Amino acid sequence: MSMKSFDKFCENLILKAPGSEKEIFDERQKIIRSGLTLEALKVFIAVSFANCAVMDFIYKWAETFFAPMILILCLCALYWLIRNGIKGTLTGVNGLYAKRYSAIMLIIIGSLNLVRYAFDLGEGNFIIKDGMITSDFLLMMSFIIVIVCGVTTLVILRGSGDKV
């Protein structure tokens, strides 16, 4: 057995194992994906900085600094997801099973965490308390966006034309 055929044998062993599908991107996808990741990160940093500056110096509109940052993070993740879906860099040459599994897990985790806030909706001060938006409401909105990210991923995977 030559070295080249042995390498091909090992590659088939690794990539064909059930449940261990590794995502493979071509060079164009890697470059575009890296650029979009940097773009989403820059948006997150700029909006987070503006939010912290507003809450420190102008008006504290939320109970905590943590909950708005999580909401901003989820919005930037959705932005990144949609931009990658439009550019065709969300899915690689291989690895659709892993993406589908991740999307389903996002939906499940978001739904389970959302149940916790469903029982608090009846309270009088769930959205606004002492003139500020509550952390519970912002976290509930974040989990709704996580579910939207999972559904969006499934829609993009379905629309990519590949068998999912």
Side-chain angles (χ1 to χ4, degrees):
M1 180 181 276
S2 70
M3 190 62 146
K4 187 174 183 179
S5 61
F6 180 72
D7 286 344
K8 191 68 174 169
F9 171 74
C10 290
E11 180 183 331
N12 285 337
L13 244 164
I14 293 169
L15 293 179
K16 304 272 183 184
S20 67
E21 217 176 281
K22 186 175 177 183
E23 203 165 21
I24 300 170
F25 294 100
D26 62 8
E27 286 303 315
R28 178 196 66 85
Q29 287 177 319
K30 285 181 187 176
I31 292 169
I32 293 173
R33 194 174 167 102
S34 297
L36 293 176
T37 302
L38 275 174
E39 182 181 315
L41 184 61
K42 288 177 187 176
V43 169
F44 174 72
I45 290 170
V47 174
S48 296
F49 177 76
N51 176 57
C52 289
V54 165
M55 285 183 65
D56 264 346
F57 301 117
I58 299 173
Y59 180 71
K60 188 173 180 189
W61 61 274
E63 283 183 328
T64 63
F65 280 70
F66 175 73
M69 296 289 275
I70 295 297
L71 182 64
I72 294 167
L73 176 72
C74 291
L75 287 170
C76 287
L78 182 62
Y79 169 78
W80 178 85
L81 185 70
I82 291 171
R83 292 275 294 165
N84 273 302
I86 290 171
K87 294 281 187 177
T89 57
L90 184 64
T91 59
V93 178
N94 194 7
L96 288 178
Y97 176 78
K99 281 282 189 218
R100 184 171 185 230
Y101 179 77
S102 298
I104 291 170
M105 288 308 294
L106 278 176
I107 293 169
I108 291 170
I109 290 170
S111 300
L112 290 176
N113 283 307
L114 201 57
V115 168
R116 181 233 183 258
Y117 297 106
F119 296 111
D120 294 340
L121 281 175
E123 293 180 8
N125 295 335
F126 181 71
I127 298 174
I128 296 176
K129 184 177 180 183
D130 297 330
M132 295 179 281
I133 296 178
T134 63
S135 295
D136 288 342
F137 178 72
L138 290 174
L139 290 174
M140 182 185 75
M141 296 304 295
S142 299
F143 287 123
I144 290 172
I145 293 171
V146 166
I147 294 170
V148 169
C149 283
V151 171
T152 304
T153 302
L154 288 177
V155 167
I156 291 171
L157 291 177
R158 201 47 89 179
S160 68
D162 297 327
K163 185 178 179 185
V164 180

